Amino acid sequence: MKLYFAGSTKDDFEPIEVSDNKNILLSFFYYKGAMKKYIDNNYSRFDNLLLDSGAFSFYNSGKEICLNKYVESLKESPFKKYFNLDVIGDAEGSFLNYKKMLELNTNPIPVFHADTNLKYLQKYLDSTDFISVGGLVGNKNIERNLDVVFSEIDKGGYDVSVHGLGLTSVPILKKYPFYSVDSTSYVSIIKFARVQQWCGNEFKTFNTLDFFSKKGAKFKDGSTSGYRYFLLHWQQQQYISMINYVNEYRNNKTHVDDYLTQLTLF
C-alpha cells in the first residue's frame, strides 16, 4: 500500500523530498502561482505525484471549476495520475465528467463516493482498473460502505486498484486491501499543535510543545515558529512507520485469507 502525503504549500512538501516516502498529492485548487512553479520545477524529486481535482475546495469557496481548463492543465503538468472532476452531491454529473475526460484523451481515476448508488461503482469498474473511494472522512458507516465496495469488486472478479481518499485509520487500512491512500493528518503537528507518535502498532497523541520540550527541545517564545520543516519531517516519518507496519501486516497470508473469507460471506 502506498501512502501519499497530501498538502497545499511548498512548506508541506519540502520535508518529503528527503523522506523515505516521496509520494505527494496536491489539489488542483492550489496548483497555481508559486505552488505551481514549485511543483513544475521540482517534481523529479518525488517518486509519485497525484492530482486531485479540488472539486470540494472549489465548492466550499464558491468558485467554479471548468472541466476544459482542468484537462488543459493536466496535459501541460507533470502529473501522470489524477482524479476525475467530480460534481459534489451529483453522482450522475460526476460520471458524465468522467466520460468527457476520457473523450478528451485523458485517463482520470474516477471517484466513487460512499453511500452513492452502486450502479455508478459498477460503471467505473467496467471501464477502468483504478478507482478511488471518497466520502470516508467523518463517515460513521465507513466499514459498512467499504464492505459493500470491496464485496462488489470481489464478486465481479475485477482486477482493480483502489485508492482511499483522506484515509489513514490504522484498523481500516489493516482490514481493506487498498492500493494507496492519502492524508493531510501529518500537518496537525503544525496546525493544531498535535503530535502523533507511532508506538509500534498504534498512534499516541500529545501536545507538540509538551512532547518536544520533554525531549530537550527548546522553542523560542514558547512557539513552534521556525521549526516547521523539522516538525513536519518528524511527523511524516511517524506516518511512514505506520504504513510500513500496515504493509507488513497485510503481507501476512493468514490475514489475506481471512479477509477473502469475510467477503464471500458478505
Side-chain angles (χ1 to χ4, degrees):
M1 180 189 300
K2 293 181 179 178
L3 170 64
Y4 285 81
F5 289 117
S8 59
T9 70
K10 174 183 175 181
D11 289 342
D12 293 340
F13 290 144
E14 280 188 326
I16 301 173
E17 295 179 24
V18 295
S19 79
D20 299 325
N21 185 97
K22 298 181 177 66
N23 305 323
I24 63 171
L25 181 149
L26 178 67
S27 166
F28 182 62
F29 184 80
Y30 299 108
Y31 186 52
K32 57 189 175 182
M35 191 65 212
K36 183 179 185 303
K37 182 178 180 180
Y38 168 72
I39 292 294
D40 291 351
N41 291 339
N42 297 281
Y43 68 89
S44 61
R45 298 183 182 185
F46 302 100
D47 293 333
N48 295 284
L49 294 86
L50 191 53
L51 187 67
D52 182 74
S53 71
F56 189 70
S57 296
F58 280 102
Y59 177 81
N60 284 337
S61 69
K63 299 178 180 178
E64 294 186 2
I65 175 172
C66 172
L67 184 141
N68 287 334
K69 181 179 179 181
Y70 180 49
V71 169
E72 290 173 7
S73 296
L74 287 174
K75 292 180 178 180
E76 298 172 355
S77 79
F79 290 93
K80 304 304 179 186
K81 293 182 180 179
Y82 41 84
F83 295 105
N84 175 48
L85 174 55
D86 49 339
V87 181
I88 305 301
D90 184 353
E92 179 65 19
S94 296
F95 179 68
L96 291 177
N97 275 355
Y98 174 68
K99 291 177 62 178
K100 290 177 183 176
M101 289 186 69
L102 292 178
E103 293 170 358
L104 293 171
N105 296 316
T106 59
N107 187 29
I109 301 169
V111 181
F112 176 76
H113 289 273
D115 292 326
T116 299
N117 192 310
L118 285 177
K119 71 177 183 180
Y120 294 104
L121 174 62
Q122 193 68 52
K123 289 181 178 181
Y124 292 136
L125 291 173
D126 287 338
S127 64
T128 184
D129 59 1
F130 199 160
I131 68 168
S132 62
V133 181
L136 303 176
V137 178
N139 189 326
K140 296 181 179 180
N141 300 312
I142 183 171
E143 291 194 53
R144 185 185 71 183
N145 292 142
L146 291 176
D147 282 343
V148 171
V149 169
F150 284 102
S151 178
E152 289 296 312
I153 292 172
D154 184 65
K155 287 189 296 186
Y158 293 102
D159 183 14
V160 61
S161 297
V162 182
H163 180 90
L165 287 161
L167 189 62
T168 47
S169 164
V170 176
I172 296 298
L173 300 189
K174 288 169 66 176
K175 182 176 180 181
Y176 299 98
F178 285 102
Y179 172 78
S180 57
V181 294
D182 70 81
S183 179
T184 60
S185 296
Y186 70 97
V187 297
S188 293
I189 195 170
I190 300 295
K191 288 186 176 181
F192 308 113
R194 187 172 67 230
V195 166
Q196 290 182 292
Q197 182 183 27
W198 183 249
C199 297
N201 60 0
E202 64 178 354
F203 279 117
K204 291 186 177 179
T205 305
F206 306 91
N207 173 272
T208 300
L209 288 171
D210 289 345
F211 179 81
F212 285 102
S213 294
K214 289 177 181 179
K215 292 185 175 297
K218 295 182 180 179
F219 296 99
K220 297 178 180 178
D221 304 320
S223 169
T224 60
S225 177
Y227 298 89
R228 183 184 180 95
Y229 183 97
F230 161 72
L231 293 174
L232 284 175
H233 179 68
W234 183 90
Q235 188 64 88
Q236 289 159 0
Q237 291 302 123
Q238 302 303 300
Y239 273 85
I240 292 170
S241 295
M242 179 275 289
I243 206 67
N244 288 340
Y245 163 80
V246 170
N247 284 330
E248 288 179 8
Y249 178 85
R250 282 157 49 92
N251 287 336
N252 184 311
K253 187 176 184 297
T254 301
H255 160 66
V256 175
D257 290 344
D258 287 346
Y259 177 74
L260 292 177
T261 299
Q262 291 174 20
L263 280 182
T264 59
L265 294 175
F266 180 75

